[in-house]
Amino acid sequence: MDLPTLRDRLQIILSKRESLKMLMELPGTGTISIDIQSALAELDELVNDIKRTFPDLDISA
């Protein structure tokens, strides 16, 4: 996979992260908020791993 393709796919993942953040702000999420927080933490870890692995990849996150 080339860097532009990886960057494009990562941008899609980051847009999904924003959706999760909006879900967290909704009232009445109850216990699912734990799952949302876990998903956000895992996405953040994934992005950090990708940044370390591909330091030349220009992503805004």
Side-chain angles (χ1 to χ4, degrees):
M1 181 180 310
D2 59 356
L3 284 180
T5 302
L6 182 60
R7 182 178 48 246
D8 293 344
R9 290 184 181 186
L10 188 55
Q11 291 296 6
I12 292 169
I13 291 170
L14 292 174
S15 72
K16 305 296 183 194
R17 186 187 186 285
E18 292 303 313
S19 297
L20 286 172
K21 283 175 50 178
M22 290 185 345
L23 267 177
M24 279 296 294
E25 296 173 4
L26 292 176
T29 55
T31 59
I32 198 167
S33 65
I34 296 169
D35 294 326
I36 296 170
Q37 288 174 341
S38 177
L40 284 169
E42 290 179 26
L43 280 174
D44 290 342
E45 186 177 331
L46 172 67
V47 170
N48 288 332
D49 288 347
I50 290 172
K51 285 181 179 180
R52 278 193 302 275
T53 304
F54 302 100
D56 296 333
L57 186 63
D58 181 31
I59 54 173
S60 57

XYZ file of all heavy atoms in Angstrom:
477
model
N 0.862 -1.167 0.000
C 0.000 0.000 0.000
C 0.912 1.234 0.000
O 1.851 1.314 0.789
C -0.901 -0.027 1.234
C -1.831 1.135 1.305
S -2.924 1.173 2.756
C -3.632 -0.429 2.777
N 0.610 2.181 -0.839
C 1.424 3.393 -0.900
C 0.939 4.424 0.136
O -0.154 4.313 0.687
C 1.426 3.980 -2.308
C 0.031 4.328 -2.810
O -0.950 4.054 -2.101
O -0.079 4.881 -3.911
N 1.779 5.423 0.386
C 1.458 6.415 1.419
C 0.196 7.218 1.129
O -0.599 7.452 2.049
C 2.646 7.349 1.639
C 3.798 6.756 2.454
C 4.926 7.775 2.601
C 3.336 6.287 3.801
N -0.067 7.648 -0.115
C -1.328 8.374 -0.345
C -2.577 7.542 -0.027
O -3.536 8.049 0.549
C -1.265 8.746 -1.825
C 0.191 8.785 -2.141
C 0.801 7.696 -1.297
N -2.539 6.265 -0.372
C -3.683 5.390 -0.067
C -3.835 5.224 1.438
O -4.951 5.295 1.973
C -3.501 4.016 -0.739
O -3.353 4.203 -2.140
C -4.669 3.106 -0.453
N -2.714 5.025 2.120
C -2.755 4.888 3.573
C -3.297 6.160 4.218
O -4.136 6.106 5.118
C -1.357 4.578 4.114
C -1.229 4.348 5.605
C -2.087 3.176 6.055
C 0.212 4.130 5.974
N -2.860 7.313 3.737
C -3.332 8.595 4.269
C -4.840 8.738 4.053
O -5.570 9.147 4.954
C -2.581 9.755 3.613
C -3.005 11.102 4.159
C -2.252 12.281 3.557
N -2.198 12.222 2.110
C -1.074 12.058 1.395
N 0.078 11.928 2.003
N -1.125 12.025 0.084
N -5.318 8.379 2.858
C -6.748 8.477 2.572
C -7.567 7.571 3.485
O -8.608 7.976 4.010
C -7.031 8.121 1.115
C -6.457 9.138 0.143
O -6.114 10.257 0.569
O -6.346 8.789 -1.055
N -7.084 6.369 3.686
C -7.811 5.429 4.556
C -7.790 5.885 6.010
O -8.769 5.728 6.745
C -7.241 4.028 4.411
C -7.557 3.433 3.064
C -7.082 2.032 2.929
N -7.405 1.517 1.599
C -7.214 0.273 1.244
N -6.703 -0.592 2.090
N -7.531 -0.109 0.031
N -6.678 6.462 6.421
C -6.593 6.960 7.781
C -7.530 8.151 7.981
O -8.144 8.294 9.037
C -5.156 7.347 8.113
C -4.886 7.706 9.555
C -5.321 6.605 10.510
C -3.428 8.036 9.750
N -7.680 8.979 6.985
C -8.619 10.105 7.083
C -10.053 9.597 7.254
O -10.844 10.203 7.986
C -8.517 11.021 5.862
C -7.216 11.791 5.795
C -7.031 12.776 6.954
O -7.793 12.849 7.897
N -5.967 13.545 6.863
N -10.383 8.496 6.596
C -11.713 7.896 6.769
C -11.888 7.432 8.218
O -12.925 7.683 8.841
C -11.919 6.730 5.782
C -11.984 7.263 4.356
C -13.173 5.934 6.137
C -11.917 6.186 3.288
N -10.859 6.795 8.756
C -10.913 6.334 10.146
C -11.081 7.522 11.089
O -11.881 7.477 12.030
C -9.640 5.530 10.495
C -9.641 4.203 9.741
C -9.524 5.295 11.996
C -8.342 3.439 9.820
N -10.350 8.591 10.822
C -10.432 9.765 11.689
C -11.808 10.419 11.616
O -12.290 10.965 12.615
C -9.330 10.760 11.336
C -7.915 10.295 11.662
C -6.892 11.288 11.130
C -7.748 10.083 13.145
N -12.457 10.356 10.469
C -13.813 10.910 10.378
C -14.784 10.075 11.220
O -15.722 10.616 11.810
C -14.275 10.985 8.925
O -14.550 9.710 8.404
N -14.551 8.782 11.284
C -15.387 7.919 12.136
C -15.152 8.248 13.609
O -16.068 8.170 14.428
C -15.079 6.439 11.895
C -15.179 5.981 10.471
C -16.565 6.095 9.930
C -16.564 5.528 8.508
N -17.735 5.868 7.785
N -13.930 8.629 13.941
C -13.616 9.014 15.312
C -14.463 10.223 15.716
O -14.967 10.294 16.833
C -12.132 9.336 15.447
C -11.718 9.608 16.868
C -10.283 10.097 16.965
N -9.885 10.211 18.348
C -10.273 11.176 19.168
N -11.074 12.123 18.740
N -9.871 11.204 20.423
N -14.599 11.159 14.811
C -15.413 12.336 15.102
C -16.871 11.946 15.361
O -17.532 12.527 16.212
C -15.317 13.356 13.959
C -13.957 13.998 13.833
C -13.504 14.682 15.108
O -14.308 15.427 15.712
O -12.349 14.467 15.513
N -17.352 10.954 14.645
C -18.719 10.463 14.881
C -18.852 9.880 16.285
O -19.866 10.085 16.963
C -19.090 9.400 13.844
O -19.085 9.942 12.557
N -17.828 9.150 16.714
C -17.851 8.597 18.070
C -17.849 9.702 19.118
O -18.537 9.610 20.137
C -16.655 7.668 18.287
C -16.722 6.311 17.608
C -15.387 5.591 17.741
C -17.841 5.467 18.192
N -17.073 10.752 18.880
C -17.050 11.874 19.822
C -18.424 12.525 19.919
O -18.865 12.907 21.004
C -16.005 12.897 19.393
C -14.579 12.469 19.721
C -13.522 13.410 19.201
C -13.740 14.838 19.535
N -12.648 15.711 19.030
N -19.116 12.647 18.785
C -20.462 13.237 18.812
C -21.424 12.336 19.575
O -22.294 12.824 20.300
C -20.952 13.488 17.385
C -20.209 14.615 16.711
S -20.753 15.138 15.057
C -21.785 13.861 14.460
N -21.273 11.017 19.432
C -22.118 10.077 20.181
C -21.932 10.247 21.686
O -22.893 10.150 22.455
C -21.776 8.639 19.797
C -22.571 7.988 18.700
C -22.030 6.591 18.422
C -24.039 7.935 19.025
N -20.693 10.485 22.098
C -20.406 10.641 23.525
C -21.141 11.835 24.111
O -21.471 11.848 25.297
C -18.905 10.841 23.754
C -18.100 9.572 23.758
S -18.523 8.455 25.093
C -18.019 9.394 26.506
N -21.401 12.834 23.294
C -22.049 14.049 23.779
C -23.567 13.920 23.873
O -24.216 14.775 24.465
C -21.668 15.220 22.879
C -20.184 15.536 22.916
C -19.768 16.574 21.902
O -20.648 17.124 21.204
O -18.561 16.834 21.806
N -24.118 12.872 23.294
C -25.565 12.682 23.342
C -25.995 12.253 24.737
O -25.340 11.424 25.371
C -25.998 11.622 22.325
C -25.853 11.960 20.856
C -26.249 10.754 20.008
C -26.713 13.155 20.491
N -27.109 12.786 25.205
C -27.604 12.353 26.517
C -28.220 10.957 26.417
O -28.710 10.550 25.363
C -28.678 13.400 26.843
C -29.113 13.928 25.516
C -27.922 13.844 24.615
N -28.138 10.241 27.492
C -28.800 8.943 27.563
C -28.057 7.805 26.893
O -28.670 6.809 26.513
N -26.738 7.912 26.732
C -26.012 6.803 26.117
C -25.823 5.647 27.086
O -25.547 4.539 26.667
C -24.640 7.266 25.581
O -23.917 7.882 26.631
C -24.788 8.198 24.415
N -25.963 5.936 28.359
C -25.897 4.879 29.366
C -24.580 4.131 29.355
O -23.515 4.717 29.202
N -24.681 2.815 29.493
C -23.466 2.002 29.599
C -22.714 1.880 28.275
O -21.543 1.499 28.286
C -23.802 0.591 30.115
O -24.730 -0.025 29.222
C -24.379 0.640 31.519
N -23.350 2.217 27.170
C -22.641 2.152 25.890
C -21.528 3.199 25.824
O -20.590 3.078 25.044
C -23.594 2.289 24.695
C -22.924 1.791 23.429
C -24.037 3.720 24.521
C -23.857 1.594 22.272
N -21.601 4.205 26.704
C -20.549 5.223 26.722
C -19.195 4.608 27.071
O -18.159 5.090 26.606
C -20.891 6.341 27.699
O -20.927 5.858 29.015
N -19.198 3.529 27.837
C -17.950 2.825 28.157
C -17.348 2.243 26.881
O -16.143 2.346 26.639
C -18.195 1.721 29.203
C -18.642 2.339 30.520
C -16.941 0.868 29.404
C -19.167 1.348 31.527
N -18.187 1.658 26.045
C -17.717 1.093 24.777
C -17.219 2.192 23.833
O -16.228 2.008 23.125
C -18.825 0.302 24.090
C -19.230 -0.932 24.878
O -18.348 -1.535 25.530
O -20.420 -1.285 24.836
N -17.893 3.324 23.834
C -17.483 4.438 22.985
C -16.129 4.970 23.446
O -15.241 5.216 22.621
C -18.557 5.551 22.986
C -19.858 5.039 22.361
C -18.047 6.777 22.227
C -21.038 5.977 22.545
N -15.946 5.110 24.745
C -14.659 5.574 25.267
C -13.542 4.589 24.909
O -12.436 4.998 24.550
C -14.725 5.748 26.780
C -15.534 6.936 27.220
C -15.698 7.003 28.730
O -15.513 6.011 29.439
N -16.077 8.166 29.224
N -13.836 3.315 24.999
C -12.853 2.292 24.651
C -12.490 2.370 23.169
O -11.312 2.280 22.802
C -13.404 0.907 24.994
O -12.506 -0.092 24.603
N -13.492 2.547 22.322
C -13.247 2.655 20.879
C -12.400 3.885 20.572
O -11.473 3.825 19.745
C -14.567 2.708 20.119
N -12.687 5.004 21.229
C -11.900 6.223 21.020
C -10.444 6.011 21.448
O -9.518 6.424 20.744
C -12.509 7.391 21.790
C -13.768 7.996 21.190
C -14.422 8.951 22.176
C -13.465 8.699 19.885
N -10.251 5.362 22.572
C -8.889 5.104 23.053
C -8.135 4.199 22.084
O -6.949 4.431 21.800
C -8.936 4.478 24.444
N -8.798 3.176 21.568
C -8.155 2.270 20.620
C -7.837 2.970 19.306
O -6.782 2.731 18.708
C -9.027 1.043 20.389
C -9.080 0.129 21.599
C -9.957 -1.087 21.389
O -10.129 -1.510 20.231
O -10.469 -1.617 22.384
N -8.726 3.837 18.850
C -8.449 4.599 17.630
C -7.261 5.535 17.828
O -6.411 5.664 16.942
C -9.681 5.400 17.207
C -10.759 4.623 16.461
C -11.975 5.514 16.235
C -10.236 4.114 15.140
N -7.194 6.175 18.982
C -6.064 7.055 19.273
C -4.753 6.267 19.281
O -3.736 6.728 18.756
C -6.258 7.768 20.609
C -7.361 8.804 20.555
O -7.746 9.225 19.446
O -7.848 9.203 21.638
N -4.789 5.084 19.872
C -3.601 4.234 19.896
C -3.200 3.814 18.484
O -2.014 3.823 18.135
C -3.865 3.003 20.765
C -2.652 2.139 20.974
C -2.927 0.968 21.904
O -3.796 1.084 22.784
O -2.260 -0.061 21.737
N -4.179 3.470 17.661
C -3.911 3.093 16.275
C -3.251 4.244 15.520
O -2.243 4.053 14.824
C -5.206 2.684 15.576
C -5.124 2.447 14.073
C -4.269 1.230 13.768
C -6.511 2.314 13.481
N -3.795 5.440 15.665
C -3.243 6.609 14.968
C -1.816 6.874 15.439
O -0.928 7.136 14.622
C -4.150 7.844 15.179
C -3.468 9.109 14.684
C -5.479 7.643 14.470
N -1.574 6.774 16.736
C -0.219 6.980 17.245
C 0.751 5.937 16.712
O 1.891 6.260 16.362
C -0.215 6.988 18.774
C -0.829 8.243 19.345
O -0.806 9.294 18.714
N -1.399 8.130 20.531
N 0.310 4.686 16.645
C 1.153 3.626 16.088
C 1.473 3.887 14.617
O 2.611 3.695 14.177
C 0.479 2.264 16.230
C 0.461 1.746 17.654
O 1.191 2.315 18.512
O -0.286 0.781 17.924
N 0.482 4.329 13.873
C 0.702 4.622 12.451
C 1.669 5.786 12.291
O 2.555 5.759 11.435
C -0.638 4.889 11.738
C -1.435 3.591 11.635
C -0.409 5.484 10.353
C -2.843 3.751 11.118
N 1.516 6.815 13.129
C 2.430 7.967 13.064
C 3.869 7.544 13.364
O 4.804 8.045 12.747
C 1.996 9.054 14.031
C 0.795 9.830 13.577
C 0.455 10.899 14.602
C -0.723 11.721 14.182
N -1.039 12.766 15.180
N 4.048 6.627 14.322
C 5.393 6.153 14.644
C 5.960 5.282 13.530
O 7.141 5.343 13.219
C 5.385 5.372 15.961
C 5.426 6.243 17.185
C 5.745 5.431 18.436
N 4.789 4.353 18.679
C 3.635 4.483 19.328
N 3.293 5.664 19.791
N 2.851 3.454 19.521
N 5.113 4.468 12.931
C 5.559 3.552 11.888
C 5.847 4.279 10.582
O 6.784 3.933 9.861
C 4.495 2.462 11.651
O 4.221 1.809 12.893
C 4.980 1.436 10.648
N 5.023 5.273 10.270
C 5.161 6.028 9.037
C 5.349 7.514 9.360
O 4.421 8.316 9.193
C 3.918 5.845 8.144
C 3.643 4.420 7.787
C 2.673 3.695 8.470
C 4.333 3.804 6.761
C 2.405 2.380 8.142
C 4.074 2.485 6.420
C 3.117 1.759 7.116
N 6.529 7.917 9.814
C 6.740 9.304 10.232
C 6.588 10.304 9.070
O 6.313 11.474 9.306
C 8.152 9.320 10.785
C 8.803 8.105 10.241
C 7.720 7.107 9.982
N 6.751 9.852 7.826
C 6.621 10.748 6.676
C 5.182 10.939 6.243
O 4.908 11.758 5.359
C 7.421 10.215 5.481
C 8.908 10.191 5.775
O 9.369 10.995 6.612
O 9.616 9.356 5.179
N 4.262 10.207 6.849
C 2.854 10.307 6.499
C 2.280 11.580 7.104
O 2.311 11.785 8.305
C 2.093 9.091 7.021
C 0.641 8.955 6.624
C 0.510 8.791 5.116
C 0.008 7.763 7.334
N 1.771 12.432 6.242
C 1.220 13.720 6.684
C -0.270 13.559 6.972
O -1.086 13.463 6.063
C 1.427 14.772 5.604
C 0.891 16.130 6.005
O 0.907 16.425 7.221
O 0.463 16.874 5.109
N -0.605 13.493 8.277
C -1.993 13.380 8.690
C -2.278 14.455 9.721
O -1.413 14.841 10.494
C -2.358 11.994 9.256
C -1.422 11.601 10.382
C -2.353 10.954 8.164
C -1.821 10.349 11.084
N -3.508 14.902 9.743
C -3.890 15.934 10.708
C -4.732 15.312 11.800
O -5.954 15.251 11.712
C -4.655 17.049 10.007
O -5.778 16.516 9.348
N -4.058 14.821 12.819
C -4.768 14.233 13.964
C -3.936 14.362 15.211
O -2.772 14.361 15.206
C -5.066 12.771 13.699
